[in-house]
Amino acid sequence: MPRKARRIEAALLAKGFQRTDAKHRKFAYVTIRGIESRIRTLLSHGGNRDIDDRLLATMARQCGLSRREFVALIDCPLTQDDYEALLVERGAIDPSH
């Protein structure tokens, strides 16, 4: 099910991502301890456009998640703590940081 670009951006920012490029809307995940990770994604549509399932799946892979998990991250059942625990479990971020 598509999601609005603004909703995705707001959710990413609320869950520990920081914008790295205002023009192209690039985001990098910053851990709870404030360390920038290698997790990155790009939100290519601006404004209030719909982001389709194909692009949601691409963003999910970039964030180290399944599409279902990414939607949970956006819709809020998946907290930042839960997200980070998944990244640690999958080896995407170092738990010592």
Side-chain angles (χ1 to χ4, degrees):
M1 181 173 195
R3 298 292 188 280
K4 296 290 185 187
R6 285 186 184 151
R7 181 175 180 183
I8 294 170
E9 181 175 356
L12 291 175
L13 293 172
K15 300 290 176 79
F17 284 80
Q18 292 182 359
R19 273 180 94 157
T20 60
D21 183 337
K23 183 177 179 184
H24 293 102
R25 304 178 92 177
K26 294 178 184 177
F27 298 88
Y29 180 68
V30 178
T31 68
I32 293 168
R33 295 185 184 132
I35 299 167
E36 190 171 321
S37 73
R38 62 183 171 95
I39 301 293
R40 306 243 183 296
T41 192
L42 173 68
L43 185 57
S44 62
H45 294 285
N48 208 27
R49 292 185 178 159
D50 283 338
I51 303 300
D52 65 23
D53 286 334
R54 183 187 55 76
L55 187 52
L56 284 173
T58 298
M59 293 177 74
R61 277 191 306 279
Q62 292 170 342
C63 293
L65 299 171
S66 68
R67 193 185 88 49
R68 175 180 275 169
E69 290 167 336
F70 186 69
V71 168
L73 184 71
I74 294 166
D75 292 345
C76 291
L78 186 63
T79 67
Q80 183 177 0
D81 287 331
D82 295 338
Y83 174 54
E84 194 158 309
L86 282 173
L87 294 177
V88 168
E89 178 182 308
R90 294 171 183 173
I93 61 174
D94 184 350
S96 65
H97 286 98

